[in-house]
Amino acid sequence: MLDDGVRDGEPRSYLPGSRNGNGKSTQLARLMAREVGHGPGTPGSWSRLLVAHARWILGVTLAVLAVAAVFAASQTRLYVATANVVVEPAPAAGGGTAQQPDMSTEESVVTSGAVLSKAARAVHVPETTLSNGLSVTAKGASFVLAISYADPNPHIAQQRAQAIAAAYTSFRSAKPTAKSAPPSTSPVAQLITPAALPTSPASPKYPLDLGAALLIGLALAIVTAWGRDYLDDRLRGPLDLERQADADVLGMIPAFRPSQPGPRGQLVMAAYPGSMVAEAYRSLRTRVLLTFAGRNSGTILVTSPTWEERGTVAANLAVALAQSGRDRKSVV
């Protein structure tokens, strides 16, 4: 079986070269090795997949990246202002050991109605509105609370974060009014870092979002390219042909553009006996003779399911067989 679909792309590479054929044999071997590597399941087939579907992979990746960029641009920019408050235990009565504050409890206190109602009155907004952009976290194992507020307006974010921090420190620093009341055992909070005016939005994070979109788009492109390649039922390479046809490939004939019009230009074995195409026909002749050795066969049929030049292949193979000096074979 033949494969004449390998193209070098340079007509001059098929012009006559040295008559000994050594250089052309080396070029032909390299061409055949490259074509074998084009088939699925062969070593390096992933590189073949990436090269064959490069446009698809690039297009899908850019499409995902563009969608992510549009989505990120449509998101509302949020500015975050943060005030830091240190929470200290209340002085122990009678010289005892003070109990360390529970920071998870203090986080709940910041978001409680007692604190938010006081902060809401200070900034003149409803308590429910004030709680929407609030977040409170304890910094590691320390006794520092980070009171953050997010808002599209950086000045509002700063004002509300500062108001909530002030309301919390006021709530935790309140002293009992009655003289007979026992000393308070609640922690004491103190503002250590006031909320600063944010100069850049905290979200969306364009570099991070676009980087994630690039990775997702690339992975999606490769997966879909593999699916397209898997569903492609075209013959790709001699190994694929052997698997599909359950027959051996005897040779590969490179495609060529004849420099002379008419049948003479197609008869490479006579017009260009030193070319790589002629070397491919001589190699095919050797494989044919070895295949038919010991068989009582006198006819070789050259056929194709499509438009390839069957007559060209048959004529060149006939000339190659005639030049071998053996008995003539009938080529149909």
Side-chain angles (χ1 to χ4, degrees):
M1 303 185 71
L2 304 177
D3 179 3
D4 65 344
V6 182
R7 295 188 177 273
D8 193 288
E10 294 291 337
R12 63 178 178 271
S13 64
Y14 303 116
L15 296 179
S18 59
R19 294 285 177 172
N20 56 21
N22 292 334
K24 298 302 178 183
S25 298
T26 303
Q27 294 181 32
L28 181 62
R30 291 176 181 174
L31 186 62
M32 293 179 65
R34 186 183 66 184
E35 187 66 15
V36 168
H38 286 175
T42 58
S45 57
W46 271 108
S47 60
R48 176 202 61 82
L49 172 69
L50 296 178
V51 172
H53 299 276
R55 292 184 178 179
W56 173 267
I57 294 173
L58 181 61
V60 173
T61 303
L62 292 179
V64 173
L65 194 60
V67 171
V70 172
F71 178 77
S74 65
Q75 298 300 301
T76 302
R77 294 184 177 184
L78 291 179
Y79 294 84
V80 177
T82 302
N84 293 322
V85 176
V86 63
V87 183
E88 300 175 347
T97 303
Q99 184 177 0
Q100 300 295 334
D102 185 357
M103 299 307 292
S104 60
T105 301
E106 298 307 308
E107 292 178 8
S108 301
V109 172
V110 175
T111 58
S112 66
V115 173
L116 291 183
S117 60
K118 182 181 294 189
R121 289 192 299 269
V123 295
H124 309 289
V125 295
E127 183 179 332
T128 54
T129 302
L130 190 62
S131 62
N132 288 336
L134 175 63
S135 62
V136 185
T137 56
K139 291 188 173 183
S142 67
F143 297 105
V144 176
L145 285 178
I147 301 175
S148 303
Y149 199 89
D151 193 86
N153 190 320
H155 295 279
I156 293 177
Q158 179 192 27
Q159 180 192 40
R160 294 182 181 180
Q162 186 67 23
I164 296 172
Y168 170 67
T169 57
S170 175
F171 177 81
R172 273 308 188 197
S173 301
K175 298 181 180 179
T177 55
K179 295 182 179 181
S180 59
S184 175
T185 59
S186 300
V188 178
Q190 181 181 357
L191 181 66
I192 57 174
T193 305
L197 180 67
T199 57
S200 59
S203 66
K205 298 179 179 179
Y206 295 109
L208 180 61
D209 294 343
L210 295 182
L214 179 62
L215 295 178
I216 294 174
L218 188 60
L220 179 63
I222 293 176
V223 170
T224 54
W226 177 86
R228 285 164 54 89
D229 192 77
Y230 180 79
L231 296 176
D232 189 356
D233 59 356
R234 293 177 298 176
L235 293 175
R236 291 162 291 170
L239 296 183
D240 192 19
L241 179 59
E242 287 183 346
R243 283 193 293 265
Q244 298 293 336
D246 193 22
D248 294 333
V249 174
L250 298 182
M252 294 191 299
I253 307 300
F256 69 98
R257 299 188 183 98
S259 60
Q260 301 179 21
R264 178 172 176 78
Q266 298 288 342
L267 197 60
V268 181
M269 294 301 299
Y272 310 118
S275 66
M276 184 167 60
V277 179
E279 185 67 24
Y281 277 112
R282 284 190 286 269
S283 177
L284 174 62
R285 175 193 65 194
T286 302
R287 295 294 301 274
V288 168
L289 293 176
L290 290 175
T291 301
F292 286 92
R295 298 184 183 182
N296 188 19
S297 300
T299 301
I300 300 174
L301 176 65
V302 179
T303 184
S304 173
T306 56
W307 52 266
E308 283 93 346
E309 295 290 343
R310 296 177 293 275
T312 301
V313 175
N316 282 284
L317 180 58
V319 174
L321 289 170
Q323 290 176 350
S324 68
R326 296 175 180 268
D327 294 337
R328 290 186 176 183
K329 303 283 183 178
S330 298
V331 181
V332 181

